[in-house]
Amino acid sequence: MSESREFLYPEKWLSKASAGDRVAYELRMQIISDMIESGTILSENKLAADFSVSRSPVREALKILASENIIRLERMGAVVIGLSEKEIEEIYDVRLLIETFVFERLARMETNELVKELSKILEMMKVAIKYCDADEFSFQDVLFHETIIRAVNHSYILMIWNNLKPVMESFILLSMRGRFKDKYDDFTRIINNHELYIEAIRTKDRNLMIKSLHQNFDDVQGKVEDLWRSQQMLSKGVVQEND
């Protein structure tokens, strides 16, 4: 495995990470990118040799990945499960539900400081595009959405986000690395989508919020209409409650 590894550690993602977190990160990236296929047996001893670490960080990494349901722990190692298309869709379903909930909260909050912070992050995303830095762009993209979620100060929503975050980070990073190579012009659209997010939060316009979410998540999947209908019903309920 050591000869085929190609994923460098993005320092902003792992600047304070333990050795186990770093091993988990790289294994996660290889599993999600299908460099390590479903059914592959992972040996603690071989992983320790490949990553030049002791078996303790390897055990830590395998426990992390098992908690994400992408491997199954076995004696002295693990078996790769991977993620099905259905599971990937479910991850984005949950992310959509989180962000629709958060937008409803933001519609009743003071958001001037949040808008300023998001605007700063967006400028960093533009700089990353200018210098074709996929890792930096991905870091700022995740930070953008996490900043929105943290703004509502809901501990359980944040807990769910944090549980999804490692796998989402890997998906986003792999996607952006591919886009910088093959679809560089697409970043104009991505920036426009994020600008729409900011404008929706600034104006507290629920229709604009729905539009911004639609544009962002339809880029990933198209089967979200039931969630939109549920969100629209929730929006109407909130409006009626406030009337």
Side-chain angles (χ1 to χ4, degrees):
M1 185 181 299
S2 58
E3 294 180 356
S4 64
R5 296 217 315 271
E6 65 176 31
F7 298 118
L8 300 177
Y9 302 121
E11 287 305 318
K12 283 195 173 183
W13 295 45
L14 294 170
S15 58
K16 298 180 181 179
S18 67
D21 285 330
R22 288 177 176 263
V23 173
Y25 162 79
E26 193 153 350
L27 286 174
R28 184 186 300 110
M29 289 283 283
Q30 292 192 37
I31 291 170
I32 290 175
S33 68
D34 292 327
M35 285 182 64
I36 301 178
E37 297 178 351
S38 176
T40 300
I41 297 173
L42 303 176
S43 161
E44 283 186 10
N45 290 332
K46 187 173 188 307
L47 290 174
D50 287 342
F51 287 98
S52 301
V53 296
S54 69
R55 282 170 50 191
S56 180
V58 170
R59 290 195 196 101
E60 179 188 347
L62 294 181
K63 287 180 181 178
I64 292 171
L65 299 181
S67 72
E68 298 167 6
N69 295 320
I70 60 176
I71 67 169
R72 182 180 69 252
L73 293 177
E74 301 283 348
R75 186 174 181 275
M76 300 293 290
V79 176
V80 174
I81 300 172
L83 289 172
S84 67
E85 289 297 322
K86 179 176 181 294
E87 289 168 329
I88 294 170
E89 286 189 4
E90 288 173 354
I91 289 172
Y92 282 100
D93 284 346
V94 174
R95 182 177 166 189
L96 174 59
L97 286 168
I98 289 173
E99 295 202 27
T100 52
F101 173 87
V102 168
F103 267 7
E104 278 301 325
R105 289 294 181 94
L106 291 175
R108 292 169 279 163
M109 293 173 55
E110 170 56 54
T111 58
N112 288 342
E113 291 303 316
L114 174 60
V115 167
K116 290 179 183 178
E117 186 63 27
L118 294 176
S119 298
K120 291 177 184 177
I121 296 171
L122 187 61
E123 290 305 309
M124 294 300 294
M125 292 169 69
K126 292 176 182 178
V127 171
I129 293 171
K130 178 180 179 181
Y131 290 99
C132 295
D133 190 338
D135 289 15
E136 177 67 19
F137 182 89
S138 301
F139 174 83
Q140 297 296 339
D141 187 17
V142 173
L143 179 61
F144 184 96
H145 292 278
E146 184 169 308
T147 299
I148 295 172
I149 292 168
R150 287 185 178 276
V152 301
N153 195 29
H154 193 295
S155 59
Y156 283 92
I157 289 293
L158 186 59
M159 180 180 69
I160 296 170
W161 167 264
N162 286 334
N163 286 337
L164 294 176
K165 184 177 176 181
V167 173
M168 286 193 303
E169 284 178 332
S170 296
F171 277 125
I172 291 169
L173 182 54
L174 288 167
S175 173
M176 295 309 170
R177 285 177 176 176
R179 290 188 194 200
F180 269 95
K181 290 180 180 178
D182 304 323
K183 297 181 179 180
Y184 183 81
D185 291 343
D186 194 41
F187 283 94
T188 298
R189 180 189 59 80
I190 294 174
I191 290 297
N192 289 340
N193 284 354
H194 285 74
E195 289 175 340
L196 188 60
Y197 261 76
I198 294 173
E199 182 63 12
I201 292 170
R202 186 187 68 80
T203 60
K204 298 181 173 58
D205 184 327
R206 285 188 174 85
N207 289 330
L208 199 56
M209 288 179 175
I210 294 296
K211 181 179 178 181
S212 65
L213 284 168
H214 222 318
Q215 289 191 9
N216 188 66
F217 283 91
D218 279 359
D219 180 46
V220 179
Q221 60 167 345
K223 300 178 180 178
V224 296
E225 291 307 319
D226 287 342
L227 295 174
W228 294 130
R229 283 192 289 271
S230 297
Q231 171 59 25
Q232 288 169 340
M233 290 178 65
L234 174 61
S235 298
K236 290 177 182 178
V238 171
V239 172
Q240 290 172 358
E241 181 181 328
N242 291 338
D243 287 345

